[in-house]
Amino acid sequence: MLDLLMKRRSIRKYEKRAVEPEKIEQIMKAALLAPSSKKSQPWEFVVVTEPELLKKLSQSREMGAAFVKEAPLAIVILADPAKSNVWVEDAAIAATLIQLEAEILGLGSCWIQVRNRSCDEVRSTEAVIHEMLKIPQHLHVASFIAMGYPAETKQPYSEDDLPENRVFVNRYGVGE
Ligand SMILES: Cc1cc2nc3c(=O)[nH]c(=O)nc-3n(C[C@H](O)[C@H](O)[C@H](O)COP(=O)(O)O)c2cc1C
């Protein structure tokens, strides 16, 4: 697990080739295995492969998502607040598992934030995606994960990168 976590980096450049349906299925199994508060499973997912929709997803943010235009795949993470009052956490865990399963399958991925982000001065990213993907109003759009075969390499993390000063034992603060 630690090796996997050291290797995982946000990948924003992808090969043109499609991700095989079997791999998408594996990734969705990982998502559906995500733990959730009281096993509420408040999430739902939209697997996006159509180039036109991927282009529109790339335009759903003022900035920070332009590269999604070239991605062969994105998984949009939705959640129903009526099913869980901690749906934000539930959706974030599912997104994380999606990224880790993608990594194991040799894919590169990047999280794109949707909740609390805007498309332009009047429209939220969420509203734009709601309309684009015909998502029912009772579901929130938390994020989406863009992915594909990596066309860039990034240095894996090493032990030296770990901000170990963030960890305390028993009481907060530096030991005396
Ligand atoms: C909650 C969250 C929101 C993020 N939103 C975006 C985003 O909108 N666009 C983007 O390109 N990267 C986004 N990222 C990726 C982060 O920028 C990236 O994880 C961080 O810089 C660390 O780099 P690494 O993933 O290579 O370790 C997001 C990551 C998280 C966890």
Side-chain angles (χ1 to χ4, degrees):
M1 182 72 174
L2 261 188
D3 285 348
L4 176 76
L5 295 174
M6 293 269 195
K7 250 183 69 206
R8 187 219 54 82
R9 298 296 315 277
S10 292
I11 296 298
R12 299 182 176 87
K13 292 193 177 115
Y14 313 100
E15 291 181 8
K16 283 253 173 284
R17 68 177 153 134
V19 176
E20 298 83 343
E22 309 78 59
K23 289 199 174 181
I24 299 177
E25 203 176 313
Q26 290 268 107
I27 290 164
M28 295 324 299
K29 282 183 187 170
L32 296 173
L33 283 164
S36 58
S37 171
K38 301 179 190 166
K39 208 178 176 198
S40 53
Q41 301 181 324
W43 18 249
E44 297 187 37
F45 306 93
V46 183
V47 176
V48 180
T49 56
E50 285 180 20
E52 192 51 37
L53 291 175
L54 289 158
K55 186 175 167 199
K56 284 189 183 161
L57 278 179
S58 79
Q59 296 164 342
S60 69
R61 283 275 307 269
E62 237 156 3
M63 59 179 88
F67 67 92
V68 177
K69 186 159 65 95
E70 312 289 346
L73 173 65
I75 295 165
V76 182
I77 295 144
L78 316 172
D80 184 350
K83 290 191 175 151
S84 169
N85 64 357
V86 291
W87 62 271
V88 173
E89 290 85 343
D90 294 331
I93 293 167
T96 304
L97 295 188
I98 287 170
Q99 285 203 279
L100 294 180
E101 184 62 25
E103 181 71 34
I104 285 176
L105 296 172
L107 300 164
S109 73
C110 187
W111 180 311
I112 310 293
Q113 185 63 21
V114 174
R115 196 177 66 87
N116 287 348
R117 294 287 181 268
S118 54
C119 175
D120 52 39
E121 274 171 19
V122 278
R123 293 174 306 164
S124 67
T125 302
E126 189 171 12
V128 169
I129 295 178
H130 257 274
E131 192 182 331
M132 177 197 315
L133 301 179
K134 306 193 186 315
I135 294 164
Q137 280 306 318
H138 70 282
L139 295 173
H140 276 289
V141 188
S143 62
F144 64 87
I145 307 294
M147 67 179 84
Y149 285 96
E152 64 173 334
T153 48
K154 281 196 174 169
Q155 187 74 11
Y157 289 113
S158 74
E159 295 277 339
D160 294 339
D161 296 311
L162 305 182
E164 283 173 341
N165 60 349
R166 308 284 172 84
V167 180
F168 307 103
V169 178
N170 291 324
R171 285 175 190 77
Y172 187 91
V174 184
E176 315 232 312

